[in-house]
Amino acid sequence: MAHIAWLGKKSPFCGNVTYGLSTTAALKQRGHEISFIHFDTPAAGLGKSPEEAVATLTGGAGDNPEVTLPYLVKSQVYTIPSPGAQRELRESLERLQPDLVHASLTLSPLDFRLPDLCQQLGLPLVATFHPPFDAALRNLSSGTQQLTYQLYAPSLARYDRVVVFSDLQADVLLRLGVPANRLAVIPNGVDPEQWAPSTMPESADLLELRQRFAGQRVFLYMGRIATEKNVEALLRAWRLVQPEGCTLVIVGDGPVRQSLMQNFGPECRVHWWGHEPDQAKRVALLQLAEVFLLPSLVEGLSLALLEAMASGTACVATDAGADGEVLEGGAGIVISTQGVTTQLRTLLPVLRDQPVLTAELGRRARARALERYTLSRNIDQLEQLYAELVPEGSLAA
């Protein structure tokens, strides 16, 4: 098995179920050695020591090296490393001697230096490139997302492989000059046994939720509450329709949550759940929900959407990023990023009045997730990609 150095901005111990965490945990389960290199403080926010956090993630303390890099500024979008971060990264890679480096790109200056660094060290370099984009970017029109893609394209062309989540995203990078032989389309994946429709006997979390929302049909948004997620458009449509016998549950936190809560409260049949760190409760919320709604203006490929699909929840999403591609062909309802409130105002009454339709959409969503978006499929494709780059024998048991 290979020793993989995984670079990213998010700490594996930050409590979020992120692409990097689920993927690296699955790789470790298959016997690969994973070294984490990131910009976060170990065990941040969990009240655990680094050793306890490593044990929580890996099943055993100390068997996976972990390196934290110093930074000056770190936000949801970008990271500014400290002056000594590049030296520490080089020394860490020289000490760890991985077979391959896989960087989940952090919108950091280090992203542009990695190709030279890894070439000097003789290490194959893979990037996962997942900045969100929208329909306008597919036509290379102006916008912040296009600038990000244009900025990164020359550097991405120097990585050995660049993992993207959809054919649409690959097409954008191709038109910006990234060679086709450097691109690998490997969608996100979720565990369909963890994220699944309810079974009998139902979990205690689901039973509790059924009591809490007794007599109500639940429509659900789960994700970050930020401007680009366009939750306000969903809330405006919900207030206009206020479907009888239905509750809109908003799960998550973010910079615009407080302002939205002031304008859309219980009188609008909106329940503000807040951040939910417990995965079992998130699973139960998706099992309870009849419809999952994702009104984003920009996306990469939403893990929350894939989790809802695997849970057998009817899904409505905009065509931002790859989300429309995921639901195309009847696996869900795709709406435009333009005029979300107007479209949902028309759609919500139909979803309220047609429970047979929502049940069928949930069945199709689950089938699509099983067909294309399982975590095991994702890891199979990653291992195949690694095998193309690592000398023969390094990936063998």
Side-chain angles (χ1 to χ4, degrees):
M1 295 298 173
H3 178 189
I4 303 160
W6 190 279
L7 278 67
K9 176 176 67 174
K10 290 276 188 186
S11 167
F13 318 118
C14 67
N16 297 324
V17 181
T18 65
Y19 169 79
L21 175 56
S22 59
T23 303
T24 52
L27 285 167
K28 184 180 185 301
Q29 288 175 358
R30 294 200 182 186
H32 299 287
E33 182 180 353
I34 306 294
S35 298
F36 297 105
I37 303 176
H38 55 84
F39 286 105
D40 276 318
T41 302
L46 292 183
K48 297 180 180 180
S49 69
E51 293 76 15
E52 290 171 330
V54 170
T56 299
L57 177 67
T58 66
D63 56 353
N64 283 330
E66 180 220 353
V67 177
T68 57
L69 299 177
Y71 61 88
L72 299 176
V73 178
K74 179 170 65 65
S75 74
Q76 186 76 16
V77 179
Y78 60 86
T79 302
I80 305 299
S82 297
Q86 183 174 352
R87 184 191 71 252
E88 291 194 27
L89 174 59
R90 182 187 185 99
E91 292 174 353
S92 297
L93 291 174
E94 290 175 334
R95 182 177 70 256
L96 294 170
Q97 297 185 337
D99 297 307
L100 177 141
V101 175
H102 189 147
S104 184
L105 295 183
T106 63
L107 299 184
S108 160
L110 280 184
D111 297 343
F112 304 97
R113 299 168 187 164
L114 274 173
D116 284 336
L117 175 59
C118 288
Q119 184 177 24
Q120 293 166 12
L121 297 176
L123 295 173
L125 176 61
V126 176
T128 294
F129 188 64
H130 43 72
F133 64 99
D134 58 14
L137 177 57
R138 299 169 203 169
N139 299 318
L140 298 184
S141 64
S142 63
T144 303
Q145 288 76 40
Q146 187 210 348
L147 293 176
T148 300
Y149 276 68
Q150 287 182 324
L151 178 66
Y152 264 87
S155 181
L156 293 177
R158 301 177 58 228
Y159 281 70
D160 292 297
R161 292 292 188 278
V162 179
V163 175
V164 293
F165 294 155
S166 71
D167 291 329
L168 287 170
Q169 190 184 10
D171 184 59
V172 170
L173 291 174
L174 277 170
R175 285 181 286 152
L176 289 171
V178 180
N181 62 0
R182 300 295 175 95
L183 294 170
V185 178
I186 303 179
N188 281 338
V190 295
D191 185 341
E193 294 185 3
Q194 289 184 341
W195 305 95
S198 61
T199 57
M200 299 302 292
E202 293 182 337
S203 70
D205 288 310
L206 182 55
L207 290 172
E208 180 183 345
L209 287 173
R210 290 202 189 282
Q211 292 180 350
R212 186 169 184 173
F213 294 99
Q216 296 290 306
R217 296 164 63 193
V218 171
F219 287 54
L220 178 70
Y221 170 83
M222 184 180 293
R224 190 164 180 264
I225 304 175
T227 302
E228 67 273 11
K229 295 297 185 179
N230 204 26
V231 179
E232 185 175 2
L234 165 60
L235 291 165
R236 288 199 304 266
W238 189 266
R239 182 167 59 187
L240 289 168
V241 176
Q242 293 201 37
E244 188 67 32
C246 301
T247 298
L248 175 61
V249 179
I250 306 292
V251 180
D253 203 355
V256 301
R257 177 172 175 247
Q258 290 299 323
S259 62
L260 292 177
M261 285 179 64
Q262 293 175 6
N263 296 317
F264 303 92
E267 70 281 0
C268 301
R269 298 195 178 101
V270 176
H271 181 91
W272 292 91
W273 185 276
H275 173 61
E276 180 50 74
D278 189 314
Q279 179 173 298
K281 285 188 172 64
R282 295 198 304 273
V283 169
L285 282 162
L286 286 170
Q287 291 172 338
L288 177 73
E290 189 168 330
V291 179
F292 175 84
L293 300 148
L294 187 61
S296 301
L297 295 173
V298 294
E299 279 286 354
L301 173 52
S302 169
L303 270 177
L305 175 61
L306 298 183
E307 291 164 356
M309 292 170 67
S311 300
T313 309
C315 294
V316 178
T318 61
D319 59 356
D323 291 351
E325 182 179 316
V326 168
L327 295 178
E328 66 183 2
I333 297 175
V334 182
I335 61 177
S336 171
T337 55
Q338 304 298 315
V340 169
T341 295
T342 301
Q343 294 171 84
L344 288 178
R345 186 179 182 182
T346 301
L347 188 57
L348 287 171
V350 176
L351 297 171
R352 173 198 62 198
D353 296 337
Q354 300 292 333
V356 174
L357 170 64
T358 59
E360 175 62 16
L361 287 173
R363 186 194 67 78
R364 292 187 182 187
R366 169 78 175 173
R368 175 64 59 80
L370 292 175
E371 177 190 1
R372 301 183 187 176
Y373 301 107
T374 63
L375 183 58
S376 62
R377 179 184 174 93
N378 172 278
I379 301 304
D380 287 344
Q381 292 175 297
L382 275 180
E383 286 188 315
Q384 182 178 349
L385 182 151
Y386 294 161
E388 296 172 1
L389 300 174
V390 176
E392 184 175 356
S394 295
L395 293 176

